[in-house]
Amino acid sequence: MPSGPETTPEAAVSPPAAAGVPRDAVADARPGRAARPARLVRREAPRTALAAVGGLGLAAAFPPYGLWPLSVAAVAALALLTRGRTARQGAWTGFAFALPFFFVLLRWLHVVGYDAVVGLSIAEALFVAALGAGLAVTSRLPAWPLWGACLWIAQEWARDRVPFGGFPWGRLAFANTGSPFTPLAALGGAPLVTFGVALAGGLLAYALSAAHRLRAGGPRTVRAALPAVEAVALAVAVTLVGYAVPVPTKADDTADIAIVQGNVQNPGMNFLGRPMMILDNHVNATLQLARDIKAGKVRKPDLVIWPENSSDLDPFQYPEAYDRIEEAVKAVGVPVLVGALIDHPGKQGYIDNKGIVWDPRTGPGASYAKQHPVPFGEYVPFRAQLSKVITRLQRVPRDFYPGDRTGVLQVGPARLGDVICFEVAYDEIVHETVRAGARALVVQTNNATYGRTGQPEQQLAMSRLRAVEHGRAVVTAATSGISAVVSPDGRVLQHSEEFTRDVISARIPLRDGTTLADRVGAGPEWALAIVGLLSCAAAFLIGRRVRPEGTEEDMDKKGQL
């Protein structure tokens, strides 16, 4: 046999040594592309975990926990975790931050199903993923804490409006309804409160970043430390500036009210029980109020407020429901604002969710129909298609029809602005109600489905912010709790416990004056959101002119991809 070098199968498929590439290097290069995802996972895991912890911290800033300083800390954490990253990395960090945040915040939806909690959390987290991308690309600009705060506004602006009219839960402002930032609502509404929180958080992140540079080997001089000190001072100033904002509370008139919380027998999805049960609860509580008035135990109110769905049957279709309401109203002898579900008079098969002024002499009169029904709860988008796939949607047999006007109603001597349930979360609805002449606000709500889940506390926090924003007393009437009276400066003066029958009597201020927030409307929100988007555009244009050198693999190793 001819002699010569032995050829092995490995050698047969290896590049020749004459190519000048060592065999070991070639072997390492071959699996490199396949190993890249694993390297990315290992590299991003610590940052992802920190982002998730930051999101959980933000959830703890909201009721029922109410640790508002964590909202500032969470904003700072997200700013630091996205700083200097690419848009793609920032988007992932934002998503990792937002998913646990919304899961904890919206866990009250578990009564519907945890799939609803997860699905809505993912949908909302996508908006924060876009925020994370924006924070990353603008973090290379001068004054990046300012642009970051504007981007928080842009994110909330979009999330409050799309899809299906938006879902405003989880706005930074709603975690700060009893904090130094709260008075800012009287100047620019909920968006300005969010802006203040986000700016303070961004400045805190700037200070921590500057301090880290000093510890990492920078010159330790007073001049070098000045940026960090200035950022902390500005963050403190932004936090405390709200104390300089006047919050108008002086009453032009007053009204004595009674809130009737009749309670429900079956908390959860089946709270209704048998027909007339909830109506009977509210009628009986009102009859007891009438007896207490007659006995001199309580002052006779000017008006009585019942909650959303306090009549579980349409009183115009069921005479027995009509008669029971008449009995209660005549016994107490003052107008009652009744919450009821009514067959829509012009749209066959649709329902109106209404607040009806029921007078003891003239019977039912003026009414307000809820303008913003809840998608998948009060109506089903794409019903024909989705109901076949998600059979649970069949539990919403008929769609609610949206009202087309504000809820300003004359109830006895008071001109009240009726806002039904989740509508209190939407800036425009409450703003237009006050502009139409409401002297106080009423939130008729039915939280029986979500009792003892934290949702009633979250909704009450929104009422507190609206009180400061519009300089109006806010009365929350709930079927099962939490019913409450909130003063124009946001303080909760009285409240009920959940799942108890209760009647709250109070004297509320009626006000005609308007706040600056009433006058400017959504202007500040639009302006700040546009500034945020323009900062992203500026960062993109600057980035195209000054591209980092090196190959994609070099950038990946440096964490730039």
Side-chain angles (χ1 to χ4, degrees), residues 246-252 467-468 471-473 487-491 509-511:
V247 177
T249 58
K250 185 178 179 180
D252 296 302
V468 176
R472 295 290 188 273
S487 66
D489 60 3
R491 290 178 298 124
L510 304 176
R511 299 193 68 256

Side-chain angles (χ1 to χ4, degrees), residues 403-466:
D404 58 1
R405 64 191 66 183
T406 61
V408 177
L409 302 170
Q410 189 71 37
V411 188
R415 191 165 65 251
L416 303 178
D418 192 13
V419 176
I420 297 180
C421 201
F422 280 21
E423 289 185 327
V424 71
Y426 294 89
D427 294 348
E428 185 177 356
I429 290 175
V430 185
H431 176 256
E432 291 302 317
T433 301
V434 173
R435 283 181 60 87
R439 306 183 79 196
L441 293 168
V442 172
V443 181
Q444 290 182 292
T445 186
N446 174 18
N447 291 329
T449 302
Y450 307 113
R452 299 195 181 103
T453 64
Q455 188 270 354
E457 290 91 342
Q458 292 172 10
Q459 191 170 320
L460 179 58
M462 298 174 193
S463 293
R464 295 181 64 187
L465 188 76
R466 298 307 181 197

Side-chain angles (χ1 to χ4, degrees), residues 336-509:
V336 178
L337 182 62
V338 177
L341 300 181
I342 308 297
D343 288 345
H344 192 283
K347 291 284 185 179
Q348 185 71 26
Y350 285 88
I351 302 173
D352 281 338
N353 188 353
K354 279 195 170 183
I356 306 168
V357 180
W358 209 292
D359 189 88
R361 295 182 301 276
T362 59
S367 64
Y368 165 68
K370 186 176 183 180
Q371 299 175 71
H372 197 300
V374 179
F376 304 104
E378 295 176 329
Y379 77 97
V380 180
F382 312 111
R383 175 181 289 274
Q385 296 78 17
L386 292 179
S387 295
K388 297 175 183 177
V389 181
I390 309 173
T391 57
R392 193 186 315 157
L393 296 177
Q394 296 171 11
R395 299 184 68 171
V396 185
R398 294 194 292 169
D399 290 339
F400 288 30
Y401 198 82
D404 58 1
R405 64 191 66 183
T406 61
V408 177
L409 302 170
Q410 189 71 37
V411 188
R415 191 165 65 251
L416 303 178
D418 192 13
V419 176
I420 297 180
C421 201
F422 280 21
E423 289 185 327
V424 71
Y426 294 89
D427 294 348
E428 185 177 356
I429 290 175
V430 185
H431 176 256
E432 291 302 317
T433 301
V434 173
R435 283 181 60 87
R439 306 183 79 196
L441 293 168
V442 172
V443 181
Q444 290 182 292
T445 186
N446 174 18
N447 291 329
T449 302
Y450 307 113
R452 299 195 181 103
T453 64
Q455 188 270 354
E457 290 91 342
Q458 292 172 10
Q459 191 170 320
L460 179 58
M462 298 174 193
S463 293
R464 295 181 64 187
L465 188 76
R466 298 307 181 197
V468 176
E469 180 179 359
H470 302 290
R472 295 290 188 273
V474 179
V475 177
T476 298
T479 50
S480 59
I482 303 170
S483 299
V485 178
V486 181
S487 66
D489 60 3
R491 290 178 298 124
V492 178
L493 302 179
Q494 296 185 60
H495 69 88
S496 67
E497 299 299 325
E498 290 189 75
F499 296 110
T500 60
R501 195 177 93 172
D502 201 357
V503 175
I504 296 176
S505 297
R507 176 168 290 175
I508 63 170

Side-chain angles (χ1 to χ4, degrees), residues 23-71:
R23 288 183 178 178
D24 290 343
V26 174
D28 288 343
R30 236 190 328 265
R33 188 168 294 275
R36 184 178 175 188
R39 290 202 308 272
L40 288 172
V41 170
R42 287 195 302 270
R43 190 185 69 210
E44 294 298 322
R47 191 181 299 265
T48 299
L50 288 172
V53 171
L56 292 174
L58 182 56
F62 286 79
Y65 314 105
L67 304 175
W68 69 263
L70 290 178
S71 62

Side-chain angles (χ1 to χ4, degrees), residues 514-542:
T514 56
T515 64
L516 181 60
D518 290 321
R519 296 190 286 274
V520 300
E525 182 182 28
W526 279 88
L528 292 169
I530 290 171
V531 169
L533 296 176
L534 289 176
S535 70
C536 284
F540 175 75
L541 292 175
I542 293 172

Side-chain angles (χ1 to χ4, degrees), residues 193-415:
V193 177
T194 287
F195 179 77
V197 175
L199 182 57
L203 289 167
L204 178 60
Y206 185 95
L208 292 171
S209 178
H212 176 73
R213 286 196 301 272
L214 285 176
R215 292 190 61 186
R220 299 190 178 183
T221 63
V222 173
R223 184 174 181 179
L226 200 57
V229 175
E230 289 175 342
V232 171
L234 281 173
V236 172
V238 169
T239 302
L240 299 181
V241 71
Y243 288 126
V245 177
V247 177
T249 58
K250 185 178 179 180
D252 296 302
D253 200 354
T254 60
D256 291 324
I257 66 165
I259 309 168
V260 175
Q261 178 175 298
N263 202 14
V264 301
Q265 276 72 20
N266 302 305
M269 291 293 291
N270 300 311
F271 70 89
L272 284 172
R274 61 173 175 77
M276 292 281 291
M277 183 179 290
I278 292 178
L279 176 57
D280 283 339
N281 288 349
H282 288 84
V283 168
N284 293 335
T286 306
L287 293 175
Q288 181 61 52
L289 171 64
R291 289 191 290 269
D292 290 342
I293 293 170
K294 189 174 182 179
K297 294 181 180 179
V298 296
R299 182 192 300 114
K300 184 177 181 177
D302 297 314
L303 59 104
V304 175
I305 300 170
W306 285 8
E308 177 189 27
N309 301 159
S310 48
S311 178
D312 48 359
L313 291 179
D314 181 349
F316 303 110
Q317 298 294 328
Y318 295 89
E320 58 271 34
Y322 188 103
D323 292 343
R324 286 292 277 160
I325 296 173
E326 278 276 289
E327 178 186 2
V329 174
K330 288 183 176 179
V332 77
V334 297
V336 178
L337 182 62
V338 177
L341 300 181
I342 308 297
D343 288 345
H344 192 283
K347 291 284 185 179
Q348 185 71 26
Y350 285 88
I351 302 173
D352 281 338
N353 188 353
K354 279 195 170 183
I356 306 168
V357 180
W358 209 292
D359 189 88
R361 295 182 301 276
T362 59
S367 64
Y368 165 68
K370 186 176 183 180
Q371 299 175 71
H372 197 300
V374 179
F376 304 104
E378 295 176 329
Y379 77 97
V380 180
F382 312 111
R383 175 181 289 274
Q385 296 78 17
L386 292 179
S387 295
K388 297 175 183 177
V389 181
I390 309 173
T391 57
R392 193 186 315 157
L393 296 177
Q394 296 171 11
R395 299 184 68 171
V396 185
R398 294 194 292 169
D399 290 339
F400 288 30
Y401 198 82
D404 58 1
R405 64 191 66 183
T406 61
V408 177
L409 302 170
Q410 189 71 37
V411 188
R415 191 165 65 251

